[in-house]
Amino acid sequence: MLEVLTICLPVFAMIGLGALLRRVGFIDDTSHAFLSRFVYLFALPAIIFLHVASSGFRELFVPGVVVTSVLAIAGVLAVFRPFTSRLAAGLRGPVLLSTFFANTAYLGIPLARSAYGSEGLRYAAIVNAFMFPLMVVLSVSLLAGGQAGARWRWRALRAALLNPSIIAALVGVLVSGAVQQFALADLVGRSVLLSAAVDIGVRTLRMLESMSLPLALIAVGASLRLRYVHGHMFLMAACTAGKLLLMPLVALLGCRLLFPGMPGAAVGTTVLLMGSPLAVTSYVLGREMNADGDLIAGLLVVSTITAVLTIPMWLLILP
């Protein structure tokens, strides 16, 4: 239990710090927008590229990680979809979105690193590269309903493909493949200038890495608004249970039953990321598409606070 607390408490302490700084006025709307944009455009892409590019090319393709993540999304949607037909039309999309749109980058990556080190970071990068576009496209499709049609779906696909973290992961895969295929490491090693250039680049990315995860967690904490938690409490509790309990459970069962040979770090990282609370991106999408922003914000707060209890529970169960 002490080991679990050692992993979780620093992560949630940084989230609490972000919430405190926002509450006392140290972080305002302008500084929070800058902080979130810096993490989104530079910090997280840097850490994803660094750990994907430095991995062996063949090690990047872990079918179990992707397949079980897809199964987790499909499973939770299959359970919740029938019940949403009874809800008002404006609530269906936000409710379904809140059951699967996981905070795999801002919170999932720090948790993976804290629990499994660099190996966890590599698997977290894989999950983000494959699953974030899927989550965005599904979310926009659900929020758009049958009204906006192909226009919103194209915007969702374009936003997913142009996401800096996705681009960083794909470029990292290309670099990893090129290093292995063309023996670039030997070529760089024979040139003093190339070796120095690569060393400077890696050191720069390491500096970004050292600041990226704390800043990401502070940004999450600064995004929380307790005033949005009102009404629909039963609905919020059900959605949070689906997101933090059912979704990681499906992922864990998929890993155990379909891919019994998966490394422990791969299983643990997949489950942790699928069990991460609702992504802050969901609120941005909701506002852009005129969905019930207050409901999504409330779900974001409730799921993030509840994750303080559920994530340590999963860490006790995981290898």
Side-chain angles (χ1 to χ4, degrees):
M1 184 64 182
L2 182 59
E3 182 180 357
V4 171
L5 292 177
T6 302
I7 293 171
C8 292
L9 287 182
V11 173
F12 288 109
M14 296 305 294
I15 295 176
L17 176 62
L20 176 63
L21 292 175
R22 183 63 181 254
R23 184 170 183 82
V24 300
F26 189 84
I27 297 178
D28 57 15
D29 289 340
T30 301
S31 56
H32 179 251
F34 167 78
L35 178 63
S36 299
R37 193 160 182 80
F38 175 80
V39 172
Y40 175 79
L41 290 176
F42 300 106
L44 284 178
I47 192 174
I48 290 174
F49 170 79
L50 184 62
H51 286 274
V52 171
S54 60
S55 301
F57 186 67
R58 293 185 180 89
E59 296 176 2
L60 292 173
F61 298 98
V62 186
V65 171
V66 178
V67 171
T68 53
S69 299
V70 173
L71 284 177
I73 294 176
V76 76
L77 285 178
V79 170
F80 277 83
R81 191 63 184 259
F83 296 102
T84 57
S85 60
R86 304 177 183 178
L87 299 175
L91 296 179
R92 294 171 192 167
V95 165
L96 286 175
L97 171 154
S98 70
T99 62
F100 70 83
F101 202 153
N103 197 341
T104 56
Y106 283 64
L107 186 56
I109 288 178
L111 282 170
R113 186 181 74 167
S114 184
Y116 300 104
S118 59
E119 194 175 2
L121 279 175
R122 180 168 63 85
Y123 291 123
I126 295 171
V127 172
N128 275 279
F130 284 98
M131 301 311 299
F132 186 81
L134 175 61
M135 289 180 182
V136 170
V137 171
L138 279 176
S139 297
V140 174
S141 298
L142 290 169
L143 291 175
Q147 299 177 7
R151 181 173 65 92
W152 281 114
R153 288 174 175 81
W154 165 243
R155 290 185 63 180
L157 180 60
R158 183 178 61 182
L161 292 177
L162 296 179
N163 179 274
S165 294
I166 305 306
I167 294 174
L170 295 178
V171 174
V173 170
L174 293 176
V175 171
S176 177
V179 168
Q180 181 170 314
Q181 183 68 27
F182 302 109
L184 293 184
D186 294 336
L187 177 63
V188 170
R190 290 195 295 267
S191 170
V192 176
L193 289 178
L194 283 177
S195 181
V198 170
D199 186 54
I200 291 171
V202 171
R203 288 176 182 271
T204 302
L205 291 174
R206 293 289 184 194
M207 291 178 68
L208 280 172
E209 176 188 4
S210 66
M211 71 171 71
S212 63
L213 300 184
L215 289 180
L217 294 172
I218 290 173
V220 170
S223 299
L224 300 181
R225 296 288 188 280
L226 291 176
R227 67 175 180 268
Y228 289 133
V229 184
H230 62 84
H232 305 298
M233 287 305 298
F234 177 78
L235 191 60
M236 288 187 181
C239 293
T240 300
K243 178 70 209 64
L244 301 181
L245 297 177
L246 178 59
M247 190 170 173
L249 177 61
V250 174
L252 179 60
L253 292 176
C255 292
R256 296 297 191 210
L257 298 177
L258 301 178
F259 302 94
M262 278 181 68
V267 175
T269 299
T270 304
V271 173
L272 282 179
L273 266 64
M274 293 301 101
S276 295
L278 184 61
V280 180
T281 309
S282 64
Y283 180 65
V284 177
L285 287 176
R287 286 192 307 175
E288 182 179 354
M289 300 186 63
N290 298 317
D292 192 331
D294 286 354
L295 176 63
I296 297 176
L299 288 164
L300 173 64
V301 172
V302 171
S303 65
T304 303
I305 293 175
T306 307
V308 176
L309 301 175
T310 58
I311 286 176
M313 178 198 75
W314 287 114
L315 282 170
L316 285 173
I317 297 172
L318 292 168

